[in-house]
Amino acid sequence: MNPFSSGTRLRDMIRSIRACKTAAEERAVVRKECAAIRAAVSENDSDYRHRNLAKLMFIHMLGYPTHFGQMECLKLIASSGFPEKRIGYLGLMLLLDERQEVLMLVTNSLKQDLNHSNQYIIGLALCALGNICSAEMARDLAPEVERLLLSRDPNIKKKAALCSIRIVRKVPDMAENFMTAAVNLLKEKHHGVLIAGVQLCVDLCKASEEALEYLRKTCIEGSVRILRDLSNSPYAPEYDVSGITDPFLQIRLLRLMRILGHGDADSSEYMNDLLAQVSTKIESNKNSGNAILYECVETIMGIEATSGLRVLAINILGRFLSNRDNNIRYVALNMLMKAIAVDSQAVQRHRATILECVKDSDASIRKRALELISLLVNDTNVKSLMNELIEYLEVSDQDFKGDLSSKICSIVERFSPDKLWYIDQMLKVLSEAGNYIKDEVWHGLIVVISNALDLHGYTVRALYKAFQTSSEQESLVRVAVWCIGEYGDMLVNNGGMLNVEEPIIVTESDTVDIVDAALKHHSSDTTTQAMSLIALLKLSSRFPSCSERIKEIVNQQKGSFVLELQQRSIEFNSIIQRHHNIKSSLVERMPMLDEATYIEKRTASSQVTFPGKKTSHATHSGATLSLPNGISKTPSAPLVDLLDLSSDDAPQMSSSTNNFLHDLLGVGLDVPSTSAPANTDILMDLLSIGEPSIQKNLPSSTLSSQSILPNHVKARTQESTSNSMHVVDLLDGLSSSPISVEKNHDYPSITAFQSNSLKIEFGFSKQPENPQSTVIIATFTNLSSDAYTDFLFQAAVPKFIQLNLEPGSNNILPSNGIGTITQRLTVKNSQLGLKPLAMRLRIAYKVNNEDKLEQGQVSNFPPGL
Amino acid sequence: MGIRFILLVNKQGQTRLAQYYEYMTLEECRALEGEIVRKCLTRTDQQCSFVEHRNYKVVYRRYASLFFMVGVDNDENELAILEFIHLLVETMDRHFGNVCELDIMFHLEKAHFMLEEMVMNGCIVETSKANILHPIQLMDKAS
């Protein structure tokens, strides 16, 4: 009985599977078959074992699990008949792999078969071992393979050689065991043995330096001789491929020669003549000939060849490149990439042809050519090349635009001769492929724009024009919106005109239209919309005439389902409506973004987030966030307060954070702020409410635009920190009061503050175990005839003092001194004995629903606190 | 290692023969076959026979309704692989006599035996058609 043709049932199964119309039907058939096979397996049915396995192989090929057939393979391998063994081994290779424990069980059968008397059975075992051998098996069976390498039968020899490759790959230490055998293989005549032997040599070279040295000495002669014989050989029918004798062997030999000749002048010298002969003699009108030429060129590039030989090689590539066959052009492009390292001038000569290949209809060729072109760009040819590429970007396939545009961007960034050119090119790319470029590309563009002071006007006008035509390109829109927000005024008044430009007429409302369109465009995502909102906020101060309209637009977003937008809308609306006095300073232009830091960051990590770049080093410690009557955090550096203290010569700076805070929170104290307060504080608080992430300085905000504003803020915070340092110094100079060193002293109460309407007294106490801390009990007395409501007391201290403000006992202060409010403060003077306490106070309250604000400074603290 | 896998796929994208020389799970194989087949089948005759996929190349060639696809390492000689595909087809032709899709389907194990004689562990081991077919013919005679 023939197990392979007896498969009528196998044929039936295949037919019924082929007849299936749907995947579901196919699954049903397979399930039925699998069930039958499982049943046969459990009955240990040996008659149909091979047929079942053949079926399983088919089912496996279709992509169904067949693990239950694994043991059947082992049983077939263990049987004595050749056909059973044959299909068993085939099943083993297809259904199993080296990770399966079942392999442990097969090692023994393999060992027996490797020692079999029948050469075909040995061949089977070697083949299986070569395909699935694991490291353990390699160690166990290597002696058998070494022995078989010396066998007289060429069929066994060649398979043993390939088996050795697997063993060396799995256990590189064993390389030396095979070195002599490998060299001997090259003395054979049989092509199969030769090709296997050559491949073994290649792998040995890769496995160990030692083997490479040894083989360099011993097999360079052999391989050159074999190749010479092959290329001079007369017609050999059995190995002939369209007029060339065994191209496969020739190619392997060339590869081995490349490895041997690499970095070794003597060996290279030895090959020169032969390589020249091969590369001139081979006919290049057949694929097989070209395959050898291709390998030959690669070898010439890889070894220490003479310059004449290299010119020959580059010329072959030039010929390939102009070939009409796409396959040949593809390999030529591939090869030219490697040739650049050897002779870039020679490759430059083919630039025009390569550029044509970028525009090929074939994606594989385009991709290769684009890689190659990007290596060919230098300062002299960048402009013409970029013109070509950008022109092509307009007509290229959709799926190629991503690759192409990112390549263009990286080239433009690397080689741009000046900023104007850079911006021009980037705008062209954005207008054509704005939807395909990565975030860091347009982030980088914004950094450059921000630094090009004399190009702001030009850029914003160019973007305005580009937006008219390409409003669906997301990243173009983002850059445009950002620039309009920053430099919108230059759009209207044609500021910063360059000579090459023609003036355009844009009204303020046109500008707002643009941003409005970006905000509402259906394809705009949250980032774009959020950026649009910021731009609108900025415009509202640049264009007072459009302020009303902007307010409406911003208001519309109050109902946005996106939390980010809703929140921004509400915050911005509040700024526009209530805080005219601070708005202009709030929406000032961004300071120049630091290019160097940005580039550094970008190279440091590929996952660049735009925001971090400016003030990544700004170590600003959180400002005081004192909530109503001091449910406050203890600030480590009360920046805000220090600024307050510094306001001796600018008393109007007093209305500090909390009002705005309240307004934003909707507490609605509605303090008439008569002053222009330090905008840092407001910003800080605005942001600390809106975006807590900034306080913690988290760069991981999901929206990249989210942090554009904060940057700004941090930049300012930095400035103000340095200001405050002076303040501390000033204070130092002023207070040279004598220092008392008395301890455990009862300090007298003081009147910290007194006006016509309000008196504040401070009582002190100290814990002996903690001399730096002082507990202050503040007592508030109402001297007027009207009760105060919404009473709020706040205090601020210089940096070296820590202040902890506890809630007050009440927030209503009865009139005529009939009641008091007390509030407990804890101060900790870190410079005790060196500097005295100092404190500024601010008291807000309502009289008959009218807001009142009083403030003062306490400098009469008893000494020693 | 050179050759990573050999696939035979018909025009409809159904796999007719699959041989992998590096281990992949069944799911990975299916996914890979799907991706490659989609990529190759959409290409026209004028386009080159090489497709870059993940970190390797697929060299493919179409014979009537069958696509022969060979996944190779990036440094492999693509033209030589094309030649190898042709050799494989010629060998099958010599055995089956004008080979067609059905021959391969119904004699899957023989197709595998031929491949086994030609490629081992991702390396080409024999290029003579007579040598490749000799063991198979012996077996046919014996039965």
Side-chain angles (χ1 to χ4, degrees):
Chain A
M1 185 187 78
N2 178 354
F4 302 116
S5 58
S6 75
T8 43
R9 284 243 22 228
L10 173 64
R11 279 179 171 252
D12 288 346
M13 184 193 83
I14 294 173
R15 282 210 183 90
S16 55
I17 286 176
R18 283 192 74 211
C20 292
K21 296 276 190 299
T22 65
E25 281 179 43
E26 186 183 288
R27 275 198 296 278
V29 173
V30 169
R31 212 179 300 129
K32 219 174 82 194
E33 286 293 340
C34 284
I37 295 169
R38 275 172 200 270
V41 169
S42 55
E43 282 163 23
N44 213 359
D45 174 2
S46 60
D47 292 344
Y48 291 109
R49 196 168 271 151
H50 52 266
R51 202 176 70 184
N52 286 339
L53 200 55
K55 281 194 212 163
L56 274 182
M57 272 159 31
F58 194 88
I59 291 171
H60 176 81
M61 186 186 72
L62 294 174
Y64 295 93
T66 47
H67 49 90
F68 53 85
Q70 289 169 352
M71 288 314 291
E72 295 297 284
C73 292
L74 299 189
K75 286 178 195 156
L76 281 170
I77 290 169
S79 59
S80 56
F82 180 76
E84 283 82 11
K85 266 188 193 301
R86 171 121 236 193
I87 197 136
Y89 275 118
L90 181 58
L92 182 73
M93 285 181 268
L94 290 175
L95 309 184
L96 292 190
D97 65 83
E98 57 184 272
R99 296 179 200 202
Q100 309 254 9
E101 286 81 9
V102 192
L103 275 192
M104 299 283 289
L105 304 171
V106 90
T107 311
N108 216 18
S109 304
L110 275 172
K111 193 163 195 156
Q112 272 175 11
D113 284 347
L114 288 174
N115 291 313
H116 207 275
S117 56
N118 184 322
Q119 59 141 323
Y120 293 103
I121 289 181
I122 299 176
L124 278 183
L126 279 172
C127 189
L129 188 61
N131 280 342
I132 59 165
C133 171
S134 65
E136 294 88 66
M137 288 168 85
R139 288 203 184 84
D140 288 347
L141 299 174
E144 264 72 27
V145 176
E146 280 174 55
R147 183 175 55 75
L148 290 170
L149 265 178
L150 307 173
S151 140
R152 238 182 271 153
D153 188 327
N155 283 320
I156 291 179
K157 237 176 185 165
K158 68 183 182 192
K159 289 186 180 174
L162 283 180
C163 215
S164 321
I165 293 182
R166 177 94 181 186
I167 290 173
V168 173
R169 264 185 212 151
K170 290 289 165 194
V171 193
D173 301 347
M174 295 177 111
E176 56 184 293
N177 302 4
F178 294 99
M179 285 192 315
T180 27
V183 176
N184 286 330
L185 287 176
L186 297 187
K187 293 173 185 152
E188 295 282 327
K189 288 273 176 289
H190 189 278
H191 283 214
V193 179
L194 284 175
I195 200 167
V198 170
Q199 285 175 120
L200 176 58
C201 288
V202 169
D203 263 79
L204 287 174
C205 290
K206 287 182 192 160
S208 85
E209 201 56 38
E210 201 184 324
L212 175 61
E213 281 307 315
Y214 176 76
L215 292 172
R216 220 173 234 158
K217 279 185 231 128
T218 48
C219 71
I220 189 97
E221 230 168 291
S223 49
V224 167
R225 177 181 48 77
I226 302 167
L227 184 57
R228 183 175 293 128
D229 290 352
L230 276 176
S231 74
N232 292 334
S233 86
Y235 178 65
E238 196 41 51
Y239 291 100
D240 184 78
V241 179
S242 47
I244 290 164
T245 309
D246 206 346
F248 303 103
L249 180 53
Q250 294 201 33
I251 285 165
R252 291 291 141 187
L253 280 165
L254 283 164
R255 174 156 302 195
L256 175 62
M257 287 161 74
R258 179 158 75 240
I259 292 170
L260 296 178
H262 180 75
D264 188 280
D266 291 344
S267 327
S268 303
E269 167 84 43
Y270 194 79
M271 301 168 195
N272 267 334
D273 287 349
L274 178 63
L275 291 175
Q277 187 202 329
V278 171
S279 50
T280 44
K281 201 180 156 198
I282 294 275
E283 286 181 49
S284 62
N285 52 358
K286 291 273 166 40
N287 181 56
S288 52
N290 284 328
I292 294 177
L293 273 181
Y294 172 46
E295 197 73 35
C296 193
V297 168
E298 195 165 353
T299 298
I300 292 173
M301 297 292 176
I303 66 169
E304 315 299 310
T306 59
S307 58
L309 202 54
R310 285 194 172 156
V311 171
L312 189 66
I314 300 260
N315 286 344
I316 293 175
L317 291 182
R319 235 168 44 223
F320 272 18
L321 203 55
S322 50
N323 199 307
R324 253 189 283 153
D325 184 346
N326 269 339
N327 290 342
I328 307 289
R329 277 164 60 200
Y330 176 88
V331 297
L333 290 169
N334 222 354
M335 213 37 249
L336 283 168
M337 297 256 286
K338 294 177 187 160
I340 283 185
V342 178
D343 186 354
S344 71
Q345 276 311 311
V347 183
Q348 287 283 2
R349 280 202 293 278
H350 301 289
R351 206 172 59 222
T353 325
I354 298 166
L355 201 55
E356 282 311 301
C357 292
V358 176
K359 304 173 187 173
D360 201 277
S361 61
D362 185 335
S364 299
I365 290 196
R366 277 195 313 241
K367 201 170 164 208
R368 280 282 131 238
L370 187 61
E371 296 277 329
L372 186 52
I373 276 286
S374 68
L375 293 178
L376 284 179
V377 178
N378 57 31
D379 293 330
T380 50
N381 61 21
V382 62
K383 285 199 175 180
S384 61
L385 275 179
M386 282 307 104
N387 280 346
E388 288 264 1
L389 288 183
I390 290 173
E391 250 170 55
Y392 177 62
L393 188 60
E394 289 167 30
V395 292
S396 67
D397 280 0
Q398 294 299 322
D399 44 355
F400 189 48
K401 278 188 176 166
D403 280 348
L404 185 55
S405 56
S406 71
K407 264 281 167 340
I408 294 178
C409 292
S410 75
I411 294 173
V412 168
E413 261 169 46
R414 233 173 346 135
F415 290 99
S416 79
D418 56 72
K419 284 190 169 165
L420 178 60
W421 186 81
Y422 173 81
I423 291 172
D424 272 344
Q425 307 305 311
M426 290 303 288
L427 292 194
K428 281 189 211 162
V429 175
L430 289 188
S431 323
E432 286 308 326
N435 285 333
Y436 300 95
I437 68 162
K438 294 197 186 75
D439 278 354
E440 59 256 33
V441 173
W442 65 266
H443 291 168
L445 176 60
I446 287 187
V447 175
V448 172
I449 294 175
S450 139
N451 278 279
L453 290 176
D454 45 343
L455 296 176
H456 287 167
Y458 171 78
T459 310
V460 72
R461 283 186 291 276
L463 277 164
Y464 178 81
K465 281 182 260 179
F467 185 91
Q468 312 275 2
T469 51
S470 330
S471 61
E472 73 290 341
Q473 304 289 352
E474 193 83 40
S475 28
L476 177 83
V477 172
R478 287 182 191 168
V479 178
V481 160
W482 189 86
C483 285
I484 289 173
E486 295 296 319
Y487 317 118
D489 43 334
M490 298 173 113
L491 187 59
V492 177
N493 61 22
N494 277 320
M497 205 68 178
L498 297 186
N499 294 333
V500 292
E501 266 186 283
E502 290 187 15
I504 53 168
I505 300 160
V506 185
T507 64
E508 295 185 347
S509 83
D510 288 344
T511 316
V512 177
D513 280 343
I514 285 266
V515 184
D516 188 24
L519 179 63
K520 290 176 183 155
H521 197 275
H522 61 87
S523 68
S524 295
D525 68 1
T526 316
T527 307
T528 314
Q529 289 174 328
M531 289 179 78
S532 305
L533 279 176
I534 293 185
L536 284 171
L537 175 68
K538 295 208 165 191
L539 287 181
S540 76
S541 129
R542 311 249 200 290
F543 304 152
S545 63
C546 293
S547 187
E548 266 311 298
R549 189 163 156 231
I550 288 173
K551 205 174 91 189
E552 266 171 41
I553 300 172
V554 172
N555 254 334
Q556 287 163 7
Q557 295 299 321
K558 270 187 178 172
S560 170
F561 289 122
V562 184
L563 180 64
E564 176 65 29
L565 298 180
Q566 191 185 39
Q567 183 179 324
R568 270 176 203 240
S569 154
I570 290 168
E571 288 171 4
F572 294 172
N573 189 49
S574 162
I575 294 171
I576 295 172
Q577 245 178 343
R578 301 196 195 178
H579 305 296
H580 296 286
N581 45 355
I582 58 149
K583 201 169 71 181
S584 58
S585 48
L586 186 61
V587 302
E588 260 176 24
R589 279 198 190 141
M590 300 256 295
M592 276 216 296
L593 304 163
D594 187 356
E595 248 173 330
T597 326
Y598 176 70
I599 291 164
E600 193 183 301
K601 274 215 85 137
R602 205 171 147 172
T603 41
S605 68
S606 53
Q607 285 218 316
V608 194
T609 42
F610 181 57
K613 86 197 133 330
K614 171 62 191 163
T615 50
S616 49
H617 309 302
T619 49
H620 89 93
S621 31
T624 340
L625 224 181
S626 26
L627 290 169
N629 276 7
I631 309 152
S632 69
K633 311 177 202 160
T634 340
S636 53
L639 198 59
V640 182
D641 304 344
L642 281 171
L643 278 174
D644 265 0
L645 275 175
S646 74
S647 60
D648 283 26
D649 51 347
Q652 79 276 17
M653 274 181 74
S654 53
S655 96
S656 83
T657 69
N658 290 301
N659 301 333
F660 299 99
L661 201 74
H662 294 165
D663 290 357
L664 288 170
L665 282 169
V667 174
L669 282 181
D670 220 330
V671 180
S673 46
T674 51
S675 54
N679 50 29
T680 320
D681 310 350
I682 295 144
L683 265 175
M684 299 281 310
D685 285 350
L686 262 179
L687 292 161
S688 56
I689 289 181
E691 295 166 77
S693 61
I694 291 125
Q695 284 274 337
K696 292 172 202 133
N697 214 348
L698 286 180
S700 59
S701 51
T702 45
L703 290 171
S704 48
S705 71
Q706 209 175 12
S707 324
I708 285 177
L709 192 55
N711 260 333
H712 189 179
V713 179
K714 284 182 213 153
R716 284 160 183 280
T717 336
Q718 234 179 357
E719 287 161 28
S720 53
T721 327
S722 58
N723 282 344
S724 52
M725 293 318 290
H726 297 295
V727 177
V728 175
D729 289 350
L730 274 174
L731 278 174
D732 275 351
L734 284 174
S735 52
S736 51
S737 50
I739 296 144
S740 132
V741 271
E742 284 171 302
K743 307 258 161 150
N744 299 325
H745 180 276
D746 269 337
Y747 296 94
S749 297
I750 57 164
T751 302
F753 177 81
Q754 179 146 24
S755 69
N756 293 336
S757 46
L758 184 69
K759 184 177 163 193
I760 304 177
E761 286 177 320
F762 278 359
F764 305 96
S765 60
K766 246 188 194 308
Q767 254 96 47
E769 68 274 12
N770 200 351
Q772 289 192 338
S773 294
T774 311
V775 179
I776 303 174
I777 306 291
T779 313
F780 307 96
T781 317
N782 183 351
L783 304 176
S784 74
S785 54
D786 296 303
Y788 298 162
T789 57
D790 293 336
F791 188 87
L792 173 63
F793 166 77
Q794 288 166 303
V797 288
K799 208 172 187 174
F800 60 89
I801 297 172
Q802 276 188 20
L803 169 67
N804 190 13
L805 202 59
E806 290 177 37
S809 60
N810 202 342
N811 66 350
I812 297 169
L813 191 56
S815 59
N816 296 325
I818 45 174
T820 55
I821 295 179
T822 54
Q823 190 163 0
R824 192 181 153 101
L825 298 80
T826 314
V827 290
K828 187 176 173 191
N829 184 353
S830 61
Q831 306 267 335
L832 181 71
L834 298 173
K835 292 179 185 174
L837 280 184
M839 193 180 283
R840 282 185 69 93
L841 311 175
R842 205 167 69 96
I843 309 98
Y845 52 88
K846 285 186 178 182
V847 184
N848 300 327
N849 268 336
E850 210 183 307
D851 286 297
K852 294 276 186 194
L853 187 66
E854 299 197 56
Q855 44 201 325
Q857 187 163 346
V858 191
S859 46
N860 57 338
F861 282 106
L865 285 180
Chain B
M1 123 153 30
I3 298 173
R4 291 173 179 231
F5 57 84
I6 298 172
L7 280 179
L8 265 66
V9 175
N10 69 5
K11 259 195 314 201
Q12 287 79 42
Q14 293 161 310
T15 310
R16 286 302 174 230
L17 184 143
Q19 172 76 57
Y20 292 86
Y21 295 100
E22 58 182 353
Y23 176 64
M24 278 196 272
T25 64
L26 203 58
E27 291 73 30
E28 286 170 333
C29 292
R30 291 185 83 167
L32 178 125
E33 284 167 28
E35 287 166 32
I36 293 176
V37 166
R38 258 196 306 282
K39 266 194 179 171
C40 293
L41 263 56
T42 50
R43 293 170 64 86
T44 64
D45 293 345
Q46 284 81 45
Q47 295 180 321
C48 70
S49 314
F50 318 123
V51 177
E52 285 166 38
H53 184 76
R54 299 197 198 163
N55 55 344
Y56 51 86
K57 280 180 200 156
V58 178
V59 178
Y60 72 96
R61 197 159 175 171
R62 183 180 166 173
Y63 289 86
S65 66
L66 267 188
F67 284 84
F68 287 70
M69 303 168 175
V70 181
V72 294
D73 288 346
N74 274 319
D75 60 351
E76 195 58 43
N77 186 324
E78 298 91 347
L79 299 177
I81 297 297
L82 273 184
E83 210 52 66
F84 167 76
I85 293 177
H86 193 66
L87 178 70
L88 174 61
V89 175
E90 280 184 337
T91 311
M92 287 181 169
D93 248 359
R94 188 182 279 194
H95 183 78
F96 293 112
N98 213 353
V99 67
C100 69
E101 192 184 331
L102 285 184
D103 289 328
I104 295 169
M105 275 187 90
F106 288 123
H107 303 280
L108 186 61
E109 76 285 345
K110 277 191 192 160
H112 271 294
F113 295 154
M114 280 177 224
L115 265 185
E116 246 177 52
E117 294 294 329
M118 295 175 77
V119 183
M120 234 181 94
N121 188 25
C123 303
I124 296 173
V125 61
E126 182 58 71
T127 54
S128 149
K129 290 185 268 279
N131 287 352
I132 296 166
L133 292 175
H134 183 65
I136 297 161
Q137 283 157 352
L138 271 184
M139 209 164 61
D140 280 357
K141 248 182 255 167
S143 58

